[in-house]
Amino acid sequence: MAKDSIMAKVSVYLTLTCLLPLLCNSFSPENPKSQRILVLIDDFAIKYSHSLFFKSLQTRGYDLDFRLADDSKLALQRYGQYLYDGLIIFAPSVEKFGGSIDLATILDFVDSGHDLILAADVGASDLVRDIAAECGADFDEDPAAVVIDHSGYAVSATDGDHTLIAGDDFLQSDVILGSKKTEAPVLFRGIGHSLNPANSLVLKVLSASPCAYSANPKTKLSSPPSLIGSAISLVSVVQARNNARILVSGSLDMFSNRLFRSGVQKAGSSTKHEKSGNEQFVTEISKWVFHERGHLKAVNVKHQKVGETNEPAIYRITDDLEYSVEIYEWTGDDWKPYVADDVQVQFYMMSPYILKNLSNDGKGLYSTSFRVPDVYGVFQFKIAYQRLGYTSLSLSKQIPVRPFRHNEYERFITAAYPYYGSSFSMMAGFFIFSIVYLYNK
């Protein structure tokens, strides 16, 4: 019996050891196509009513795991390793997640570099609101409030309360929304949110029009709405300092097949689009959230003296050196050279002594050369690159700088010629004085 027990424990250990490599981490530059996403839903009907969105993800290679939000077996990690690369929460009414998932678990998931899509709706639970608030998006406190726009609504034969909005105030960023402009307005029905001014990382991607406001459409306004005009964000994104990406939407319906296929005509416009911009908008922004666009990596960071190939362990003051780095961007299929003219390197000790733009060859190689300053100490080569929509690059490499050794100085220093002259003139004067003094009668 003891032998069988030992064999059983060994078998369990080997099984767990084999499973560990299958567990997921955040976006990996070494294996960027390996993406497993947990989708939490209120009802399995959402899987079919929003199938076009889910199908676009699966077509791009994502493995979706659909689970009810209150499933008692839910878990984001096992044996200290995360099971998923991303999380989609399409459960606006959930009061409490099942299993081991809660607010702190989701925040830890994002803090570990993983991505999140959160869709709220009218009557969103406090849990969903708290998640959004932690990401810098504060939903209207009135649970019955929705975004109303009497000038930017979508023309409809059945909708008379103007809560179906045709939004077209997009963030101007090809990295986040794609290079192809979204021509048709996006249909939106849901709740609005404001951005936390203390959070500089959150951005409005789709804003409400200046005439919009947030209120309960079934009651009369007794006081001015708390959210009005362009301050209302319909869809926002966050890129954390660890490069994790988050999408917060006030409308679950925006991702639905019905609005994907629906035609749209904005009030006051004579142009009627056969298809709304929802599918293009949601697809493009999901590419950004899951790092199919705007993800940078830096490789082959090198520095050496001009004319040499080996990297030295120390530099001497006034040495001429070369610095280079290769930067690439992930396109969803492969890595392509990143081309920009605003990448800078600092030669840094307490403060930048040298700040230079890196020139690029159009193939991803950035390089420059400069002279080490006439100051010795421990310096760093630093690149801190942050641009809208792109993952931040933070590179640092330490290198000491020494002064000249005693035998490395020139025999005669040009700047010291006046002192040399004064010394020899003094000796000559003393010699002449001695002769005159000794032999003068």
Side-chain angles (χ1 to χ4, degrees), residues 296-338:
L296 304 179
K297 74 170 181 179
V299 296
N300 296 331
V301 181
K302 297 178 181 178
H303 61 86
Q304 65 277 327
K305 293 181 183 179
V306 173
E308 298 183 4
T309 57
N310 294 329
E311 182 177 303
I314 190 170
Y315 284 106
R316 189 189 67 185
I317 58 174
T318 70
D319 274 347
D320 292 317
L321 63 84
E322 297 173 326
Y323 179 87
S324 64
V325 61
E326 295 178 30
I327 302 178
Y328 298 94
E329 178 185 0
W330 178 246
T331 64
D333 296 313
D334 57 9
W335 293 98
K336 71 173 185 179
Y338 175 68

Side-chain angles (χ1 to χ4, degrees), residues 202-261:
V202 60
L203 297 169
K204 287 189 287 187
V205 178
L206 180 61
S207 304
S209 76
C211 298
Y213 63 95
S214 178
N216 186 345
K218 297 181 180 179
T219 61
K220 291 185 178 180
L221 287 175
S222 57
S223 60
S226 57
L227 294 178
I228 58 173
S230 300
I232 301 176
S233 179
L234 307 179
V235 180
S236 298
V237 295
V238 181
Q239 179 163 276
R241 290 186 174 87
N242 62 358
N243 290 327
R245 291 173 173 175
I246 304 166
L247 168 66
V248 178
S249 169
S251 171
L252 177 60
D253 207 22
M254 185 182 72
F255 298 84
S256 68
N257 297 352
R258 181 173 62 85
L259 293 190
F260 271 26
R261 294 169 174 156

Side-chain angles (χ1 to χ4, degrees), residues 343-404:
V343 183
Q344 297 179 324
V345 63
Q346 304 176 38
F347 200 57
Y348 187 95
M349 185 178 67
M350 304 297 288
S351 62
Y353 277 76
I354 292 177
L355 177 63
K356 291 205 68 175
N357 268 47
L358 297 174
S359 59
N360 72 85
D361 63 352
K363 299 179 181 179
L365 177 64
Y366 290 78
S367 60
T368 190
S369 60
F370 57 88
R371 175 164 290 183
V372 177
D374 193 1
V375 179
Y376 58 88
V378 179
F379 282 81
Q380 286 183 329
F381 294 100
K382 291 183 68 173
I383 290 181
Y385 187 72
Q386 296 179 341
R387 294 297 180 270
L388 176 65
Y390 290 100
T391 53
S392 58
L393 290 178
S394 182
L395 308 177
S396 179
K397 204 165 189 178
Q398 188 169 284
I399 190 75
V401 174
R402 64 173 177 83
F404 284 99

Side-chain angles (χ1 to χ4, degrees), residues 176-178 279-289 293:
I176 297 177
L177 295 180
E279 184 170 9
Q280 180 183 347
F281 175 77
V282 168
T283 300
E284 293 299 328
I285 201 170
S286 68
K287 288 180 179 180
W288 180 83
V289 170
R293 192 169 50 238

Side-chain angles (χ1 to χ4, degrees), residues 68-119:
L68 289 175
D70 57 359
D71 189 333
S72 60
K73 297 181 179 179
L74 284 180
L76 286 176
Q77 60 177 322
R78 186 178 299 159
Y79 312 120
Q81 296 289 326
Y82 281 103
L83 301 169
Y84 304 96
D85 303 290
L87 175 63
I88 297 176
I89 302 177
F90 278 5
S93 63
V94 63
E95 296 289 346
K96 182 180 179 181
F97 293 114
S100 61
I101 298 182
D102 55 15
L103 174 61
T105 305
I106 293 175
L107 296 180
D108 287 342
F109 183 74
V110 174
D111 287 341
S112 299
H114 299 84
D115 306 314
L116 169 67
I117 292 180
L118 175 68

